[in-house]
Amino acid sequence: MVNIVLKTGNLGSYYEIYFDYHPKLVRKLQDIKTRTDARYLGKYWTISAAYQLEIEKFARYAKFITDVIMGEPPKNVYVDYTPVELEKLIIPHQLKVNPYPYQGDGIATGLKFKRFLNGDDPGLGKTLQSIGTVNLADAFPCLVICPSAIKINWQREWHKFTDKKAMILDDKVVDTWPFFWEAGMNQVFIVNYESLKKFFVQKLLKPKGWMLADVVFRDIIKLFKSVIVDESHKCKDFSAQQSKLTMGIANGKEMVICLSGTPVVNKPKDLAPQLGIMGQLQNFGGYQNFIKRYCSGPNKASNLRELNQILRQNCFFRREKKEVLKDLPDKVRQVLTCEITNRREYMDAEKNLIEYLRKYKDADDAKIAKSMRGEVMVRIQILRNVSARGKIKDVIEFVEDFIQSGQKMVLFIHLREVAEALMKYFPEAVTIRGGDTAEDKQRSIDSFQSNPDIPIIICSIKAAGVGVDGLQKVCQNVAFVEFPWTYADCIQCEDRLHRIGQKGSVMVYYFLGQNTIDEKVYKIIQEKKNIANAVTGSVDTVETNMIDMVANIFNV
């Protein structure tokens, strides 16, 4: 057996290599010695951590001869490797919607663990499961810590699934939000990572380079009985402010739920802060032992089977889509509400549209009214364009987190400006846009299919909504940054993935600007799906229908 252990001493980091005498292994290390600072110290060899590549090569070579252990050798460690089954929910779920069977299992297992990490694939309903767990445990008040882009969605999900009222913490309630709990008005409070200091820190004992011990929290954090940490991989670095503050807030809570489809972004070390937030590091012998045992070796990853088993026994579960397909419908839609960044510009455009709509509705001459239709449609589209540009920041944040799971995504857009903003942030993306030749389109499709380093394809609704095939072979996720006017056109775009060759359930995301025309139009399209029949009418009829619809939206 070969045991390779990463050590740290006065002269820096180095590897100690232990093994029973074997001539081939000795010759291999002697060969390394001629090119490095490797030394034999009687019982083991040492080599500087700077020669990680050499150690990796040696470890691969040694595996053909004997077992190789990365990290400290086992010391009286016994792990029961019996497969861990999730609990079954045998009590009423108390939600407004019926969870899928696997979601019920997640709720039940969460009730058993209390402080745990749900690592389900994106699209499997981690939000619903965490809400169901907290609700059944009656662990209120509950604090939800999440990225800024999905605060509104968390609020809506609580209202959709339960009778509890959720409040987004903002500058208006910095000091008054506890009164809403005391008055029985709100049971859930939602905050983004960047605002934790503002709401929950009384003072820092050190202005710079502060540690968790230097934070004086407001006593009000003791109020919370449960904490949900969404996209918990954002806390993968102990030194980051959001990791330290989240850990301090979650400390001592009866229920702490971390949610992430990618809890390990790079190495097992990413898990340590999340385990600390959940108060679960003691199951791994504390931080130092966790690092030594599971983060050693050339790849800083060791004893992974053991790590996975102990996680699943104490505080972790994960299901991939392929495991629960029997429970999923062919297509799942989810609305993601965005806070637009250009609210003033939007309000000006909306005011301008409403004024022009009134003139159009008041026109008593048919010819004048007809001549105004084109201008009305232009101003309606301007309003939608302003909303689309305002959503870009939240869209980028969501997509960036999503693709870390290793899954691909199709993004539908309309505006060239929106496409270029996304391409600037995701330069590895390929596109299908107006003006592309058939060869250009196929080249983008082929690249998206065959290259694992291309996670995104940005598609124009008009250029890729029909006549595009092949995306479904490697992708199950489609998102609309902008969306068409009609249900029929939405379906055409969705069905670039929901078609023959698709082996999974298709997740469809619609990004809607909060308090914008997006929400109103989407609601009408979903309620009146037969609007698709309008495409059989004349152009004038379709435009008039759209104008009347928008006029009704704004009560003109």
Side-chain angles (χ1 to χ4, degrees), residues 295-306:
C295 307
S296 295
N299 295 320
K300 295 182 172 59
S302 49
N303 304 306
L304 299 186
R305 179 171 178 245
E306 175 185 302

Side-chain angles (χ1 to χ4, degrees), residues 187-341:
Q187 298 77 37
V188 181
F189 300 89
I190 303 165
V191 65
N192 55 297
Y193 286 102
E194 296 80 4
S195 296
L196 291 175
K197 181 179 176 182
K198 178 197 304 182
F199 284 96
F200 304 116
V201 175
Q202 183 174 325
K203 65 178 179 179
L204 296 175
L205 300 180
K206 289 173 61 178
K208 293 183 179 180
W210 51 270
M211 305 296 288
L212 181 56
D214 301 313
V215 182
V216 178
F217 287 97
R218 296 182 180 180
D219 286 342
I220 203 66
I221 67 169
K222 298 175 183 176
L223 188 69
F224 297 112
K225 289 187 177 180
S226 61
V227 177
I228 297 174
V229 185
D230 195 10
E231 306 296 353
S232 62
H233 58 270
K234 290 183 175 293
C235 298
K236 64 183 177 67
D237 183 356
F238 265 122
S239 64
Q241 173 176 300
Q242 58 204 34
S243 302
K244 290 181 279 192
L245 296 183
T246 300
M247 189 175 302
I249 293 167
N251 182 46
K253 301 298 181 286
E254 66 179 64
M255 182 164 282
V256 180
I257 304 175
C258 289
L259 306 176
S260 176
T262 54
V264 178
V265 178
N266 296 306
K267 304 291 182 183
K269 189 177 181 180
D270 297 342
L271 267 179
Q274 297 172 75
L275 290 169
I277 289 168
M278 294 183 284
Q280 294 284 2
L281 269 174
Q282 72 276 6
N283 288 315
F284 302 87
Y287 174 73
Q288 292 297 333
N289 191 70
F290 180 90
I291 296 299
K292 287 181 179 179
R293 183 145 187 82
Y294 305 112
C295 307
S296 295
N299 295 320
K300 295 182 172 59
S302 49
N303 304 306
L304 299 186
R305 179 171 178 245
E306 175 185 302
L307 172 60
N308 180 271
Q309 186 70 3
I310 297 176
L311 281 169
R312 290 182 180 272
Q313 288 172 345
N314 292 278
C315 60
F316 175 75
F317 60 86
R318 171 179 173 80
R319 279 78 54 88
E320 297 181 10
K321 279 185 180 178
K322 62 186 179 183
E323 297 177 55
V324 297
L325 272 178
K326 65 181 187 302
D327 292 341
L328 290 173
D330 291 339
K331 193 185 292 185
V332 179
R333 294 187 181 89
Q334 182 176 351
V335 170
L336 299 171
T337 307
C338 307
E339 180 56 62
I340 61 174
T341 56

Side-chain angles (χ1 to χ4, degrees), residues 3-258:
N3 184 213
I4 302 174
V5 184
L6 181 63
K7 298 277 189 176
T8 301
N10 295 331
L11 299 179
S13 297
Y14 60 93
Y15 292 102
E16 290 183 356
I17 307 171
Y18 301 81
F19 60 92
D20 295 329
Y21 177 79
H22 192 289
K24 290 185 178 179
L25 295 179
V26 171
R27 281 198 298 271
K28 193 70 175 178
L29 279 172
Q30 286 174 337
D31 180 57
I32 292 176
K33 183 179 178 181
T34 63
R35 291 175 283 116
T36 70
D37 62 353
R39 292 180 297 161
Y40 179 60
L41 300 181
K43 293 184 179 180
Y44 56 87
W45 289 74
T46 67
I47 183 172
S48 168
Y51 297 102
Q52 177 180 332
L53 184 60
E54 300 290 345
I55 290 295
E56 290 177 356
K57 291 179 179 178
F58 174 75
R60 287 195 294 270
Y61 176 83
K63 284 181 180 178
F64 289 103
I65 299 173
T66 185
D67 292 333
V68 176
I69 295 179
M70 300 294 192
E72 296 287 349
K75 296 179 180 178
N76 300 321
V77 174
Y78 172 74
V79 178
D80 180 2
Y81 285 101
T82 303
V84 179
E85 299 291 335
L86 270 62
E87 301 292 311
K88 297 295 180 183
L89 189 62
I90 58 175
I91 59 176
H93 53 72
Q94 296 183 17
L95 296 171
K96 292 181 180 178
V97 300
N98 289 320
Y100 295 121
Y102 74 87
Q103 292 174 330
D105 297 348
I107 293 171
T109 303
L111 289 170
K112 172 188 175 183
F113 283 155
K114 297 188 183 301
R115 298 189 305 278
F116 64 96
L117 195 159
N118 180 335
D120 282 351
D121 262 356
L124 294 188
K126 293 188 288 292
T127 300
L128 179 146
Q129 293 174 66
S130 61
I131 288 174
T133 302
V134 171
N135 196 49
L136 274 179
D138 196 26
F140 297 105
C142 173
L143 177 66
V144 177
I145 302 172
C146 65
S148 178
I150 53 179
K151 288 188 296 185
I152 299 169
N153 295 291
W154 266 103
Q155 183 183 48
R156 293 192 171 193
E157 298 286 80
W158 272 102
H159 297 165
K160 177 181 177 181
F161 299 140
T162 74
D163 59 357
K164 303 301 187 294
K165 297 301 179 185
M167 169 188 284
I168 295 175
L169 299 185
D170 57 28
D171 291 342
K172 299 176 183 176
V173 295
V174 170
D175 297 312
T176 59
W177 65 265
F179 298 119
F180 289 84
W181 159 253
E182 293 168 3
M185 298 173 64
N186 293 91
Q187 298 77 37
V188 181
F189 300 89
I190 303 165
V191 65
N192 55 297
Y193 286 102
E194 296 80 4
S195 296
L196 291 175
K197 181 179 176 182
K198 178 197 304 182
F199 284 96
F200 304 116
V201 175
Q202 183 174 325
K203 65 178 179 179
L204 296 175
L205 300 180
K206 289 173 61 178
K208 293 183 179 180
W210 51 270
M211 305 296 288
L212 181 56
D214 301 313
V215 182
V216 178
F217 287 97
R218 296 182 180 180
D219 286 342
I220 203 66
I221 67 169
K222 298 175 183 176
L223 188 69
F224 297 112
K225 289 187 177 180
S226 61
V227 177
I228 297 174
V229 185
D230 195 10
E231 306 296 353
S232 62
H233 58 270
K234 290 183 175 293
C235 298
K236 64 183 177 67
D237 183 356
F238 265 122
S239 64
Q241 173 176 300
Q242 58 204 34
S243 302
K244 290 181 279 192
L245 296 183
T246 300
M247 189 175 302
I249 293 167
N251 182 46
K253 301 298 181 286
E254 66 179 64
M255 182 164 282
V256 180
I257 304 175
C258 289

Side-chain angles (χ1 to χ4, degrees), residues 286-483:
Y287 174 73
Q288 292 297 333
N289 191 70
F290 180 90
I291 296 299
K292 287 181 179 179
R293 183 145 187 82
Y294 305 112
C295 307
S296 295
N299 295 320
K300 295 182 172 59
S302 49
N303 304 306
L304 299 186
R305 179 171 178 245
E306 175 185 302
L307 172 60
N308 180 271
Q309 186 70 3
I310 297 176
L311 281 169
R312 290 182 180 272
Q313 288 172 345
N314 292 278
C315 60
F316 175 75
F317 60 86
R318 171 179 173 80
R319 279 78 54 88
E320 297 181 10
K321 279 185 180 178
K322 62 186 179 183
E323 297 177 55
V324 297
L325 272 178
K326 65 181 187 302
D327 292 341
L328 290 173
D330 291 339
K331 193 185 292 185
V332 179
R333 294 187 181 89
Q334 182 176 351
V335 170
L336 299 171
T337 307
C338 307
E339 180 56 62
I340 61 174
T341 56
N342 52 352
R343 180 63 62 182
R344 184 179 294 277
E345 181 187 4
Y346 178 84
M347 295 305 294
D348 290 342
E350 183 178 88
K351 180 180 178 182
N352 180 277
L353 171 62
I354 291 172
E355 289 175 354
Y356 204 85
L357 279 170
R358 289 196 178 107
K359 292 179 183 179
Y360 167 75
K361 296 290 281 188
D362 292 341
D364 54 6
D365 186 297
K367 290 185 178 180
I368 294 176
K370 185 172 182 178
S371 67
M372 295 175 70
R373 288 177 197 158
E375 182 63 23
V376 173
M377 289 299 293
V378 168
R379 296 187 187 213
I380 290 171
Q381 193 57 50
I382 288 174
L383 189 61
R384 295 193 71 186
N385 292 353
V386 172
S387 176
R389 287 189 280 106
K391 293 183 286 188
I392 290 175
K393 178 177 177 291
D394 280 359
V395 169
I396 287 173
E397 185 174 348
F398 176 86
V399 174
E400 187 176 35
D401 278 338
F402 186 93
I403 61 176
Q404 285 186 0
S405 69
Q407 297 192 49
K408 292 176 179 272
M409 175 171 278
V410 178
L411 289 176
F412 275 104
I413 53 89
H414 170 68
L415 274 182
R416 179 177 294 272
E417 184 178 351
V418 172
E420 290 175 351
L422 293 171
M423 289 163 59
K424 182 178 180 180
Y425 198 86
F426 300 108
E428 70 278 15
V430 292
T431 64
I432 296 178
R433 300 167 67 182
D436 288 353
T437 65
E439 291 78 11
D440 291 335
K441 289 183 180 180
Q442 193 58 51
R443 193 157 37 247
S444 290
I445 293 171
D446 292 344
S447 297
F448 186 65
Q449 282 183 339
S450 60
N451 191 339
D453 294 326
I454 297 179
I456 300 168
I457 184 167
I458 299 169
C459 297
S460 162
I461 291 169
K462 289 185 177 180
V466 295
V468 169
D469 190 29
L471 303 179
Q472 76 277 12
K473 296 179 181 178
V474 294
C475 184
Q476 299 174 355
N477 311 289
V478 57
F480 291 84
V481 183
E482 303 169 84
F483 57 95

Side-chain angles (χ1 to χ4, degrees), residues 528-544:
K528 301 182 179 181
K529 294 178 181 178
N530 59 354
I531 195 173
N533 294 331
V535 298
T536 61
S538 68
V539 173
D540 281 354
T541 302
V542 173
E543 288 186 349
T544 301

